[in-house]
Amino acid sequence: KPLGGRKGGPRAPSELEGDRDPDTGRRFPSVLAMREAKIRDFLYYTAHLDFSGHVACRDFMLDPKEMMTQLQQRYSLVSDHNQIELSSCVHEHGECKSKEEGGWDDPSQKKKRDAYLSGSYMKDFDVETMKMVNAWVDEDLEAALGYKLFEDVEIAKVNYTKDSRCKLHFPDQPFNEPMQKKDVPLVRESFCPSKRRRGA
């Protein structure tokens, strides 16, 4: 009997149960292993696309209008509107929530943004937890999308601000192979121009 979709009741499969590692054909041993496979796939397809890029969700949460302006300038996008409208729709779990259903200005959305930007989501982490997480992820893959691995929990908890994202959160190490073969356009680089993604 098929398990059905996400809304199919208690037996609905999770992403971790349903997806398979394309390299092995088996279930992913952890959600972090699934993340790394998704990043590898993204980088593979990016190498075959003329128009692609990556926007970190916290950068969008920090200043969405600034981010949208950066995207417009970077890709020469032309808008039909005179101003950027944020409250019309918020995508959550693949569904678009209208302003009436809980859009950008809804308290639940603000609470979520505050949790990510304040670092409070790290409250359950300790040194051992960080070691386990870091053991599952690839530092070069994460750096390819502008993410930095932390060993110090207290540093990882630091508020994500326009100042701290460049000083603490953006990776400053050069890529190792095979990441050097292809650059991924990162809008965040326009905010942190002194952070070169490659060594001299």
Side-chain angles (χ1 to χ4, degrees), residues 13 45 49 59 76 81 86 100 104 109 123 125 152 175 200:
Y45 287 109
L49 297 174
D59 286 327
S76 301
H81 304 280
L86 296 173
E100 292 73 23
W104 181 265
Q109 294 296 328
K123 62 181 175 58
F125 280 70
D152 189 315
F175 289 166

Side-chain angles (χ1 to χ4, degrees), residues 102-114:
W104 181 265
D105 297 320
D106 187 81
S108 65
Q109 294 296 328
K110 184 178 185 305
K111 182 179 180 180
K112 181 190 297 184
R113 294 195 297 272
D114 289 345

Side-chain angles (χ1 to χ4, degrees), residues 65-130:
K65 292 187 177 181
E66 179 185 37
M67 178 59 68
M68 294 299 293
T69 300
Q70 290 282 349
L71 289 171
Q72 287 179 326
Q73 294 174 350
R74 185 176 195 129
Y75 297 109
S76 301
L77 302 176
V78 179
S79 174
D80 295 331
H81 304 280
N82 295 326
Q83 61 183 8
I84 297 172
E85 176 60 57
L86 296 173
S87 61
S88 58
C89 174
V90 169
H91 280 274
E92 190 171 75
H93 305 302
E95 298 181 358
C96 180
K97 290 189 174 182
S98 67
K99 184 176 182 180
E100 292 73 23
E101 296 174 310
W104 181 265
D105 297 320
D106 187 81
S108 65
Q109 294 296 328
K110 184 178 185 305
K111 182 179 180 180
K112 181 190 297 184
R113 294 195 297 272
D114 289 345
Y116 279 107
L117 294 175
S118 69
S120 63
Y121 68 96
M122 292 290 300
K123 62 181 175 58
D124 295 324
F125 280 70
D126 56 25
V127 175
E128 292 304 314
T129 308
M130 293 290 285

Side-chain angles (χ1 to χ4, degrees), residues 14-17 27-39 133 136-137 142:
S14 69
E15 189 176 16
L16 189 59
E17 293 173 333
R27 285 181 178 176
F28 291 101
S30 73
V31 70
L32 292 172
M34 178 190 292
R35 171 189 172 87
E36 299 306 282
K38 287 185 175 183
I39 295 177
V133 170
W136 277 105
V137 297
E142 297 295 326

